[in-house]
Amino acid sequence: MHALVVQQLRKVYRSGFEALKGVDLTVEEGDFFALLGPNGAGKSTLIGIVTSLVNKTSGRVCVFGHDLDTEPEAVKASLGVVPQEFNFNLFLPVAEVVINQAGYFGIPRREARRRAEFYLKKLDLWERRRSEMRLLSGGMKRRLMIARALVHRPKLLILDEPTAGVDIEIRRAMWAYLRELNAEGTTIILTTHYLEEAESLCRNIAMIDDGRIAAVAETQALLAELDAEAFVLTLTAPLAAAPALAGLDVKRLDATTLEAQLHRGQTLNDLFAALRAAGVEVASMRNKQNRLEQLFLEMIDRGRGIAPAQAA
């Protein structure tokens, strides 16, 4: 079954601004799906329409076979939403935020308390269950929003920039829990500016720009389209100049650091074999730029999408 089907979705505001220009998108049940795009591309408008927070101009939205126009309550029951902005009563205790959310879905209070305990423990918030919202850190508030979105056990979880402002350690812990949720069967759609997040978590990606879908494909298939990839190499011993490697583009950044550009068809094995032959030993290596970010910028610059057969 499809978790989400969007067909010819358009949104035109009263000012005449067209935020969505006939978007088609399909997300399969069980997928971990990323929606990427710059500010103003249409991500939040699309999510807003799916979650009934924004009225569409035209088009169709179905969630697990439920049409948003004719079965809005069934759509809402299928969704858990983690918005960008905090929207809590700042004076409520943490546990009450989750318990009250359960009440909107008809969950009895005893069961709501049990579920609140489960999710707050999962998200490392149980010790703060009696604390008022206003006393939590930004990272704790983000995790509480996830607990609140999960309390009615939705089949589709939508996260709009869920780790914005969260430190690296907490972000990694949240990633681990989201992977666990997905492995248990929850379909997840993620919008993010952290392209490392999408590359690490998501199996499929849609890139949106100027209200249109620029590409939809498996993450690894998209990455294979990179024309070139840059790596920064830290050396075990200093060099006075960059080594001359036939067919490879390598430059010296400083005495112990090289930058290498690998073009399509060239591999890391080729690079390391050439460096080894030149007597250069590498201590560590990293990507100069996030690969998805690099690809997205290339695609937008070229104004290019993927083949129609791959589009949702």
Side-chain angles (χ1 to χ4, degrees):
M1 178 181 289
H2 302 313
L4 174 67
V5 177
V6 172
Q7 295 174 325
Q8 285 298 297
L9 194 61
R10 294 181 67 246
K11 175 60 181 179
V12 182
Y13 288 94
R14 289 181 180 178
S15 65
F17 174 67
E18 192 173 12
L20 297 179
K21 303 173 181 178
V23 168
D24 291 312
L25 187 66
T26 299
V27 177
E28 299 298 332
E29 183 174 8
D31 201 356
F32 205 136
F33 193 94
L35 184 62
L36 304 181
N39 287 333
K43 301 188 305 295
S44 292
T45 301
L46 176 56
I47 296 302
I49 290 172
V50 172
T51 57
S52 302
L53 296 176
V54 176
N55 293 325
K56 61 185 172 65
T57 300
S58 62
R60 186 167 181 253
V61 175
C62 287
V63 176
F64 289 100
H66 302 293
D67 191 295
L68 182 62
D69 290 332
T70 59
E71 301 174 273
E73 295 307 318
V75 168
K76 290 175 185 177
S78 300
L79 294 176
V81 183
V82 181
Q84 287 187 41
E85 304 297 330
F86 300 131
N87 54 359
F88 302 112
N89 180 334
L90 294 178
F91 296 94
L92 271 182
V94 165
E96 287 300 311
V97 169
V98 182
I99 292 167
N100 288 351
Q101 180 72 9
Y104 292 121
F105 294 90
I107 299 169
R109 194 165 181 83
R110 179 178 294 180
E111 173 64 11
R113 284 197 293 267
R114 191 185 68 79
R115 293 190 191 186
E117 179 178 352
F118 175 81
Y119 289 113
L120 291 175
K121 285 181 175 178
K122 279 286 187 180
L123 288 155
D124 199 23
L125 289 169
W126 183 243
E127 298 303 316
R128 301 299 300 270
R129 63 189 180 278
R130 296 187 180 91
S131 299
E132 291 183 358
M133 272 293 305
R134 62 190 177 88
L135 301 177
L136 299 186
S137 67
M140 289 178 179
K141 289 175 183 174
R142 291 281 175 201
R143 283 178 280 154
L144 179 56
M145 291 171 79
I146 294 176
R148 184 182 65 172
L150 291 172
V151 71
H152 66 290
R153 295 178 178 165
K155 297 167 67 178
L156 172 59
L157 180 64
I158 298 178
L159 304 111
D160 197 3
E161 306 285 350
T163 58
V166 174
D167 66 44
I168 292 174
E169 183 178 355
I170 293 175
R171 187 182 308 159
R172 299 283 179 177
M174 288 171 66
W175 289 2
Y177 184 53
L178 292 175
R179 287 192 188 98
E180 181 183 332
L181 273 176
N182 182 243
E184 291 171 353
T186 303
T187 306
I188 299 177
I189 298 176
L190 174 78
T191 77
T192 181
H193 284 297
Y194 297 112
L195 300 187
E196 176 195 5
E197 190 163 63
E199 184 176 350
S200 174
L201 293 173
C202 300
R203 289 188 290 277
N204 293 290
I205 288 176
M207 292 185 172
I208 186 169
D209 184 59
D210 192 29
R212 296 184 175 91
I213 298 295
V216 182
E218 293 182 359
T219 306
Q220 294 307 313
L222 277 177
L223 292 173
E225 294 193 22
L226 277 173
D227 292 324
E229 193 169 358
F231 297 90
V232 176
L233 311 173
T234 301
L235 310 179
T236 58
L239 289 178
L245 306 178
L248 292 167
D249 182 5
V250 178
K251 66 180 180 181
R252 179 179 176 272
L253 300 181
D254 59 44
T256 58
T257 312
L258 298 176
E259 180 181 317
Q261 287 272 351
L262 293 184
H263 299 276
R264 192 174 297 184
Q266 296 177 327
T267 68
L268 283 171
N269 285 339
D270 298 332
L271 174 63
F272 284 119
L275 288 170
R276 190 162 46 249
V280 178
E281 186 174 345
V282 177
S284 64
M285 178 193 75
R286 64 177 174 83
N287 283 83
K288 182 180 180 183
Q289 185 180 31
N290 177 279
R291 295 188 298 164
L292 277 175
E293 181 175 330
Q294 190 174 344
L295 175 63
F296 183 76
L297 293 174
E298 283 184 14
M299 294 183 72
I300 297 306
D301 287 344
R302 293 195 298 252
R304 161 182 164 254
I306 60 172
Q310 290 177 278

